Amino acid sequence: MEPNEHITLEEAKEKIRYLENLLREKEENTYRTFFEEDEDAVVVLDMESQLFIDCNTKFTTILGYTKEELQKLSVIDISPKFQPNGQPSEILAIKYIEDGFKYGIVKFDWVHLNHLGEEVYCEIKLLNYIGKDGKRFAKGVIQKKDILVELQKKLSQKEKLLERVTKTLPAIIYIQDLATNQFLYLNNSIESFLGFEVEPILNYDYLIKNILHPEDLHLIETHSKKMMEEKNTDIYVLDFRVFHRNGNVHWFRVWETNFSFNVDGIPTEVLGVAQDITTSKALELQLKKQNDLSEEIRRISKSGVWEWTIQSNQMFWTSDLYYLLRVEPKHYIPSIHSLIAFFAEESKSMLVEALIKAEKELIPFDLELEILSHPNFWVRVQGKAIQTEVSGTVIIGSIEDIDDSRKKRIALLENEARFHKVANQTGLIIYDYNINLNQIEWDGAIKSVLGYEIEEFNHLDIEGWLNLIHPDDRMFTKELLADAIGTRSPYHAFYRLRKKDNTYIPIEDRGTFISNDISGSNRQVGVLENVSAKYEFELKLQSKEERFRNFYNFASEAIIITEGDLILDANLAFKKLFGYDFIHHLSVKEIIADPLWNGIDNKDKSFSLEGIKKDGTLIPIQVNKKEFEEGKFILSFIDLTLINEAESIKEALKEIKEKNDLIFSQTMELEKTLKELKLTQSQLILNEKMASLGQLIAGIAHEINNPMGAIKASSQLILENIKNQIFNQEKIIALLANQPKEKRELYIRWMIESFEKRNQLHGSEARKQKKSIYETLESLGCRDSEYIAEEVVDSGVQNGLSIIQHLCHEDDFLDFFNYGIQYIHTSQNLNSILESIQRVSKILYALKNFSHFDKQGNKIKTDLVANIETVLILYNSQIKNGIKIVRNYPASQVFIDCYPDDLIQVWTNLIFNAIQAMSYKGILTITISQDESAWAKVSIEDTGCGINDEIKDRIFEPFFTTKELGEGSGLGLDIVRRVILKHNGQIEVDSTPGKTIFTISLPEF
């Protein structure tokens, strides 16, 4: 290019700059095109501001944010607080970024949060670089992988659960390779069943030589050959004999199914479950008959009620019955003949015969009949005759559609899983209890053992399960479960469980925890086993239902039966008085005009108030209550309307005279009121204190019921032991009289040391100890060594083993041992009673201190810590499940001159307010300190909702409250302020959401 003489130097530089900018823009456009169209999600982070400065379209698609929204966010803003490895996201992000600058590129897994707050699992490749101006940037290339991670996590959870369940099941579970006859899997239950360790038995030859009975080998071979030939997944059952390690012969039952097949359909692996049936083999036919005769559960989908007055031949149907029989109420007049016409011919004759017997012999009936329709369907028809003075004989009944339930039962049986079949055959019920969610998943032999369908049983939570336990066993079982949950230790209990037919069977319940971390998420898995055959346990029910029902339904007095406040049943007089046809889901609170109602438990045996009829009308009533079972009451109602009308006339006559005397009495009353005004303040404090005491009654009752239940159970066991000892007394006296003095002294020393020393073991440690004691006693020639080892470890008296070893070879040792172990059990039960009494005494002592009121008003020297602890003991039932208490107390006692009864009211109001503010879940911190100026300070801090700034200045005003009607009087904090001023002290409050602190300063002298 020839030089242009007309272009100046400045113009030439400007043109060069223009061309350079043009080239830069072209390069940036090209880069932007590649950046936006990249198949991977790409994002750029400014390390100085910690914000995203750019991203491509793929990244916005994955997380759902727009580019503009993302540029206002940082990595921490779109990440959960913690990553799956437990590390905080903020700390882990800094580490990966620094690694990127150190190594140039780093690759790792990360969890992001999309715009909906959902977790997205990603794989990130991070490239870090420093700009020309020294600024640091990070570029991330992201690939989504959350679906794979989620599947892996679920698979891992299922594998852990299966492993835990197989270890918990009281049965031998195995998988056998058919090609080599070797065991691919064998759980450790064989050690407890037969005494052999697992490893040698994995070799099939060892099993044939040492365990299987030679006379039954042909049965096992025939059984295996049949499974190979039929090539299906059915369950095959076989009974055969085996040898225990001690040489005894046991009977085993195995349930086997072909577990896997090759490409030609030939079985390659067998899954099996084996159980020891030695003790129950003789009762096998009887148990099978019981299972076959279990009542089939019907699920009601539709129902209707009818009433037939025989004398007038009039009939009444509920609207549900018209719908059930598919007729229009407006165009249909019901009669007994039209009702019978709906049924098929065979069902008609059955219904007519039942109606005749009900009329003449007053026999109730319960029938399953077929309705003619398109198509036909089955119903359940129930009825009963009632004699009335006005209408004569009336038959009332109900019709329920059971057709759908039949179809569902058939469909359910066709879709049973193979694992469910195996569990059902073994007679075991399996459960998975999520403690945090209070949910239980049930499986196994629910139908054959208890008579329930699995869908019906899976609706039970922990309370539903407890309600099925026999009332005499319920409290003890609940305490065992609570102790196991609190310590995360194995759970083992015996109790009676109610079947579908309302009979009870003995159950052995064994459970274990998936996680032993007390602070983490926990689930308990375990099994329920019917031990009827083992313990020959039978329950006899004697019912007076018919006689009670006749009185109940024909009583002129209105009567209801409740569980808590829920009405379970009501007689005809109640329905007539209150105007209800049905009581489904009706509660006592809905028929009682009492805004302060706090439950039937808290009412006297007899009380008067207003009742609410169905149409809203108020009627005066007197209520009498009777508790006939824990938590269940019979209530009777008397209508006081006529009585009150007479009383109102009498009151009107009295009112005329009272008004004449009113003028004179008002003058005298005014003077009296002025004198009593000062007394009113102290009475107000006492009333508020009593109101607080009322709030604690339910919790205190629960706290006392627990040790009382333990006392009752221990007392019963002591009585049983005393009876057994009386029966065997002559035998033991004769045995002791014939023994040398040295042996008698040694035997007595064993019992005394066992009284004083107890070392209770659990779980694997207990099993190891039993095994060790068993082997030691066997080597010494002791008979019944297995039974003695079980009793010694279960009773926790293994420290006296050395004395047992000196005596165990004697012929009469077992008689001595059984007599002594009964004395030991008696002493242990007495210790349990003493501990329970001490627990009750502690609660009653705190209650006495709380309810005491010092009328003299003299200051006394009081321990401030003990004063506060009195209140905490009484509120224990309300805080122990959801509230953590942090006590910051001095090392020594803090004594101040004060009115201790008044201060108890201060701590009561502040602590209860804190509990309510936290909705019974949170952290309550109590701090006590002293300063050099002879002042004591008490801080009560909670993590509740806090106090709004708009009302903070009003919280100490009398009758000011933010609580619902009936929950507070508004006097609590006013009384607190008055008591503190009475002590010449100070009170301060500091509150933000999640943190509220009340600080009380009191002079020590």
Side-chain angles (χ1 to χ4, degrees):
M1 180 181 72
E2 293 183 2
N4 190 341
E5 296 179 354
H6 300 288
I7 297 177
T8 65
L9 179 60
E10 289 300 320
E11 290 175 342
K13 291 181 178 180
E14 184 64 25
K15 189 169 185 179
I16 292 171
R17 283 195 294 271
Y18 168 76
L19 294 173
E20 287 176 344
N21 289 335
L22 190 64
L23 180 60
R24 189 180 300 111
E25 289 177 0
K26 185 175 181 181
E27 291 175 347
E28 288 178 354
N29 289 335
T30 302
Y31 168 79
R32 175 57 61 182
T33 300
F34 283 106
F35 179 80
E36 288 295 335
E37 295 180 358
D38 197 330
E39 291 183 357
D40 292 326
V42 182
V43 66
V44 180
L45 178 69
D46 182 356
M47 300 306 300
E48 201 170 301
S49 66
Q50 298 293 317
L51 299 176
F52 294 107
I53 59 175
D54 202 1
C55 69
N56 65 357
T57 304
K58 182 70 173 180
F59 185 83
T60 60
T61 301
I62 290 177
L63 296 185
Y65 294 101
T66 64
K67 187 176 294 187
E68 292 73 21
E69 290 174 340
L70 196 69
Q71 289 175 347
K72 300 176 183 178
L73 301 173
S74 67
V75 173
I76 304 307
D77 293 332
I78 62 171
S79 301
K81 189 173 182 180
F82 296 93
Q83 289 297 312
N85 60 4
Q87 297 245 4
S89 296
E90 187 171 2
I91 295 174
L92 201 58
I94 294 173
K95 176 185 179 301
Y96 285 140
I97 291 172
E98 292 302 324
D99 287 347
F101 282 107
K102 184 176 180 181
Y103 304 109
I105 185 171
V106 62
K107 193 174 182 180
F108 56 92
D109 291 333
W110 191 263
V111 176
H112 278 302
L113 298 176
N114 63 16
H115 69 295
L116 299 177
E118 300 168 338
E119 292 187 349
V120 179
Y121 287 80
C122 304
E123 182 184 84
I124 298 178
K125 183 167 64 176
L126 192 66
L127 303 95
N128 296 343
Y129 59 95
I130 301 175
K132 294 180 181 179
D133 55 356
K135 292 183 65 175
R136 303 201 307 170
F137 298 88
K139 176 184 176 183
V141 179
I142 301 167
Q143 289 186 338
K144 186 177 179 182
K145 57 178 293 187
D146 54 334
I147 296 177
L148 178 60
V149 171
E150 187 66 21
L151 290 174
Q152 290 174 342
K153 185 165 67 175
K154 288 182 178 179
L155 179 60
S156 176
Q157 291 175 347
K158 294 293 184 183
E159 290 175 347
K160 290 180 179 178
L161 176 60
L162 180 59
E163 180 182 0
R164 181 69 63 176
V165 169
T166 55
K167 289 182 178 179
T168 307
L169 281 173
I172 301 172
I173 301 176
Y174 57 89
I175 299 176
Q176 185 179 10
D177 189 324
L178 294 177
T180 63
N181 276 336
Q182 302 303 306
F183 290 97
L184 304 176
Y185 172 78
L186 182 64
N187 68 349
N188 56 8
S189 294
I190 198 166
E191 296 182 13
S192 58
F193 277 113
L194 296 177
F196 291 93
E197 296 182 356
V198 173
E199 283 301 323
I201 304 176
L202 292 175
N203 186 310
Y204 190 68
D205 293 336
Y206 183 90
L207 189 70
I208 295 176
K209 294 177 182 177
N210 298 279
I211 297 179
L212 298 179
H213 198 287
E215 296 179 8
D216 292 346
L217 289 178
H218 70 284
L219 296 176
I220 298 174
E221 293 174 359
T222 304
H223 168 80
S224 301
K225 183 178 180 181
K226 182 178 180 181
M227 292 183 64
M228 288 287 290
E229 291 175 349
E230 298 193 4
K231 303 177 184 178
N232 54 36
T233 58
D234 292 343
I235 297 173
Y236 295 86
V237 183
L238 177 66
D239 294 350
F240 56 88
R241 289 165 291 178
V242 295
F243 291 105
H244 192 278
R245 188 176 180 183
N246 60 13
N248 294 334
V249 176
H250 287 230
W251 274 96
F252 259 53
R253 176 172 293 166
V254 298
W255 294 264
E256 290 189 337
T257 181
N258 290 321
F259 193 58
S260 62
F261 303 84
N262 61 18
V263 294
D264 298 322
I266 305 299
T268 57
E269 294 176 352
V270 168
L271 168 65
V273 177
Q275 274 199 321
D276 190 330
I277 60 169
T278 306
T279 58
S280 62
K281 189 164 181 64
L283 301 173
E284 183 177 338
L285 294 177
Q286 181 180 352
L287 291 176
K288 185 177 184 302
K289 181 178 179 181
Q290 291 176 355
N291 291 334
D292 292 339
L293 294 178
S294 296
E295 182 183 353
E296 186 178 16
I297 300 171
R298 299 185 299 268
R299 301 181 63 185
I300 299 174
S301 59
K302 294 186 286 286
S303 65
V305 177
W306 53 272
E307 178 180 308
W308 177 35
T309 304
I310 298 175
Q311 182 175 345
S312 62
N313 199 25
Q314 293 180 339
M315 199 165 202
F316 166 77
W317 290 3
T318 63
S319 56
D320 291 331
L321 187 54
Y322 286 97
Y323 177 80
L324 175 64
L325 298 177
R326 300 166 188 171
V327 293
E328 183 63 37
K330 296 180 180 179
H331 308 296
Y332 190 87
I333 300 176
S335 68
I336 190 62
H337 299 293
S338 62
L339 178 64
I340 296 173
F342 282 98
F343 295 89
E345 288 301 321
E346 185 176 353
S347 297
K348 283 181 182 178
S349 58
M350 293 173 62
L351 179 57
V352 170
E353 182 181 357
L355 290 170
I356 293 172
K357 286 187 176 180
E359 177 185 359
K360 294 182 178 180
E361 303 174 17
L362 300 180
I363 298 176
F365 57 89
D366 189 346
L367 307 172
E368 288 190 8
L369 305 177
E370 186 177 15
I371 293 285
L372 294 173
S373 184
H374 302 288
N376 291 1
F377 62 94
W378 285 81
V379 295
R380 179 184 183 187
V381 183
Q382 296 175 290
K384 181 179 180 180
I386 298 175
Q387 293 289 350
T388 64
E389 295 180 0
V390 178
S391 304
T393 304
V394 176
I395 299 180
I396 59 174
S398 65
I399 300 178
E400 300 170 350
D401 184 349
I402 62 172
D403 199 63
D404 288 342
S405 63
R406 283 190 168 192
K407 296 176 181 177
K408 290 179 181 177
R409 288 198 299 269
I410 295 172
L412 182 63
L413 292 174
E414 292 175 349
N415 294 315
E416 284 287 345
R418 279 192 296 153
F419 182 79
H420 172 73
K421 291 180 181 178
V422 173
N424 190 55
Q425 290 289 335
T426 61
L428 300 173
I429 299 174
I430 304 168
Y431 64 84
D432 183 351
Y433 173 29
N434 189 318
I435 299 171
N436 293 339
L437 300 179
N438 194 26
Q439 294 177 348
I440 309 177
E441 291 186 11
W442 301 90
D443 204 344
I446 297 170
K447 178 66 180 293
S448 60
V449 174
L450 297 175
Y452 295 94
E453 297 292 348
I454 188 169
E455 294 87 350
E456 190 176 10
F457 213 66
N458 264 325
H459 291 149
L460 293 181
D461 56 8
I462 196 68
E463 290 300 326
W465 164 72
L466 284 170
N467 287 335
L468 291 179
I469 296 176
H470 193 282
D472 293 344
D473 303 338
R474 191 176 301 154
M475 183 63 69
F476 184 66
T477 304
K478 187 175 181 180
E479 288 182 349
L480 283 178
L481 180 62
D483 290 342
I485 293 174
T487 59
R488 299 304 185 266
S489 59
Y491 166 65
H492 192 188
F494 291 90
Y495 50 82
R496 289 164 287 177
L497 197 65
R498 189 172 74 241
K499 296 174 60 178
K500 178 74 176 195
D501 59 6
N502 285 329
T503 61
Y504 287 89
I505 59 172
I507 290 293
E508 182 177 5
D509 187 349
R510 292 181 292 270
T512 188
F513 287 87
I514 291 180
S515 170
N516 290 323
D517 181 6
I518 294 180
S519 63
S521 175
N522 289 285
R523 298 207 333 270
Q524 184 191 52
V525 295
V527 293
L528 309 182
E529 182 180 4
N530 179 2
V531 292
S532 299
K534 182 178 180 181
Y535 294 97
E536 298 180 356
F537 187 81
E538 296 180 355
L539 186 63
K540 297 180 180 179
L541 295 176
Q542 297 179 350
S543 174
K544 298 181 179 179
E545 176 66 15
E546 191 65 29
R547 187 171 64 180
F548 168 74
R549 279 289 167 186
N550 289 333
F551 161 77
Y552 176 67
N553 281 322
F554 296 112
S556 59
E557 193 173 349
I559 303 173
I560 62 173
I561 299 175
T562 74
E563 183 168 8
D565 274 7
L566 180 64
I567 300 177
L568 302 179
D569 196 9
N571 69 351
L572 297 175
F574 171 83
K575 295 176 181 178
K576 181 178 179 181
L577 176 61
F578 283 86
Y580 285 95
D581 294 326
F582 304 99
I583 59 165
H584 189 53
H585 294 312
L586 186 65
S587 68
V588 178
K589 186 175 181 181
E590 296 178 62
I591 64 171
I592 296 298
D594 185 355
L596 300 179
W597 181 264
N598 59 349
I600 192 66
D601 290 339
N602 302 308
K603 301 301 289 184
D604 295 333
K605 291 184 177 180
S606 181
F607 55 94
S608 299
L609 37 65
E610 286 189 315
I612 307 174
K613 299 179 68 173
K614 184 178 180 182
D615 59 6
T617 305
L618 298 178
I619 56 173
I621 56 174
Q622 178 180 326
V623 185
N624 299 300
K625 79 169 186 178
K626 172 71 175 178
E627 186 173 14
F628 66 94
E629 189 178 317
E630 184 179 357
K632 293 185 178 180
F633 300 89
I634 295 178
L635 303 183
S636 65
F637 300 85
I638 300 176
D639 188 354
L640 302 177
T641 303
L642 296 178
I643 299 175
N644 286 356
E645 287 177 357
E647 288 293 328
S648 63
I649 294 173
K650 184 177 178 181
E651 289 295 325
L653 294 174
K654 290 176 60 178
E655 186 178 351
I656 297 173
K657 184 178 181 301
E658 290 174 353
K659 287 184 177 179
N660 293 332
D661 299 334
L662 183 60
I663 298 174
F664 175 78
S665 63
Q666 283 180 340
T667 304
M668 301 299 295
E669 190 68 25
L670 182 59
E671 293 179 1
K672 183 180 178 181
T673 301
L674 292 174
K675 293 179 182 178
E676 294 178 349
L677 184 59
K678 292 184 180 180
L679 294 176
T680 304
Q681 283 190 343
S682 61
Q683 186 62 38
L684 186 62
I685 293 176
L686 180 59
N687 290 344
E688 183 69 13
K689 189 172 186 178
M690 291 302 101
S692 301
L693 181 60
Q695 295 169 347
L696 296 174
I697 290 302
I700 293 171
H702 175 74
E703 287 293 297
I704 293 178
N705 280 339
N706 287 341
M708 293 304 290
I711 291 173
K712 179 181 178 182
S714 298
S715 300
Q716 291 174 344
L717 292 173
I718 291 173
L719 287 174
E720 291 178 5
N721 285 340
I722 291 175
K723 290 179 182 177
N724 293 333
Q725 290 166 355
I726 290 174
F727 291 142
N728 296 321
Q729 196 167 24
E730 292 183 3
K731 180 179 179 182
I732 295 300
I733 291 174
L735 286 171
L736 288 172
N738 296 327
Q739 302 300 322
K741 180 179 180 182
E742 295 80 6
K743 182 177 178 180
R744 290 200 304 270
E745 291 177 349
L746 190 64
Y747 173 67
I748 292 171
R749 183 160 63 87
W750 169 66
M751 285 198 296
I752 293 174
E753 289 184 0
S754 298
F755 291 169
E756 299 172 349
K757 299 177 183 179
R758 188 180 182 189
N759 181 16
Q760 199 70 42
L761 302 176
H762 302 281
S764 60
E765 188 176 358
R767 291 195 296 272
K768 291 179 182 178
Q769 187 72 31
K770 290 178 182 178
K771 183 178 180 182
S772 174
I773 294 174
Y774 163 74
E775 293 174 347
T776 301
L777 296 178
E778 281 284 295
S779 65
L780 294 174
C782 174
R783 292 182 297 176
D784 300 299
S785 55
E786 183 176 4
Y787 163 73
I788 293 172
E790 289 277 348
E791 285 293 328
V792 167
V793 176
D794 290 343
S795 301
V797 295
Q798 56 271 23
N799 292 335
L801 183 61
S802 58
I803 299 176
I804 292 176
Q805 292 175 0
H806 285 290
L807 302 171
C808 68
H809 62 278
E810 302 287 346
D811 293 338
D812 53 5
F813 171 69
L814 185 60
D815 293 328
F816 281 116
F817 177 80
N818 286 333
Y819 187 72
I821 208 70
Q822 286 186 351
Y823 267 113
I824 292 170
H825 288 167
T826 301
S827 70
Q828 291 173 351
N829 287 323
L830 286 171
N831 287 332
S832 176
I833 291 174
L834 290 175
E835 292 172 0
S836 299
I837 291 173
Q838 291 172 358
R839 182 177 173 189
V840 173
S841 298
K842 183 177 180 182
I843 296 170
L844 294 179
Y845 178 76
L847 183 60
K848 178 181 74 68
N849 288 343
F850 179 86
S851 59
H852 179 263
F853 183 71
D854 186 4
K855 296 182 179 180
Q856 299 299 321
N858 297 323
K859 283 188 176 182
I860 59 175
K861 190 170 289 294
T862 302
D863 181 8
L864 194 56
V865 174
N867 194 257
I868 294 175
E869 282 297 313
T870 296
V871 178
L872 291 177
I873 290 172
L874 294 177
Y875 276 104
N876 181 57
S877 65
Q878 301 187 39
I879 62 181
K880 65 182 180 181
N881 292 326
I883 295 178
K884 177 183 179 183
I885 299 180
V886 178
R887 296 174 169 87
N888 297 326
Y889 295 163
S892 60
Q893 294 174 302
V894 179
F895 286 94
I896 65 172
D897 288 333
C898 66
Y899 305 99
D901 301 323
D902 291 346
L903 283 184
I904 282 180
Q905 187 64 13
V906 171
W907 315 133
T908 298
N909 281 290
L910 294 180
I911 289 173
F912 187 69
N913 285 349
I915 292 172
Q916 287 187 319
M918 295 186 291
S919 298
Y920 298 89
K921 289 185 179 180
I923 300 174
L924 178 66
T925 303
I926 301 177
T927 304
I928 301 177
S929 61
Q930 293 174 285
D931 57 21
E932 298 177 355
S933 59
W935 281 71
K937 288 190 176 182
V938 179
S939 296
I940 298 178
E941 177 183 345
D942 66 73
T943 58
C945 58
I947 304 172
N948 294 334
D949 292 335
E950 294 82 4
I951 65 170
K952 189 179 293 184
D953 295 333
R954 299 190 59 198
I955 60 176
F956 294 101
E957 293 179 10
F959 304 106
F960 176 80
T961 180
T962 59
K963 299 176 183 177
E964 296 293 333
L965 181 64
E967 293 185 358
S969 63
L971 294 174
L973 289 179
D974 176 60
I975 291 174
V976 169
R977 179 181 62 83
R978 290 174 180 269
V979 173
I980 299 305
L981 292 177
K982 182 178 179 181
H983 285 80
N984 297 320
Q986 301 173 355
I987 182 170
E988 299 175 357
V989 59
D990 184 19
S991 179
T992 58
K995 182 178 181 182
T996 298
I997 305 176
F998 281 83
T999 303
I1000 310 298
S1001 300
L1002 299 169
E1004 296 182 2
F1005 305 101

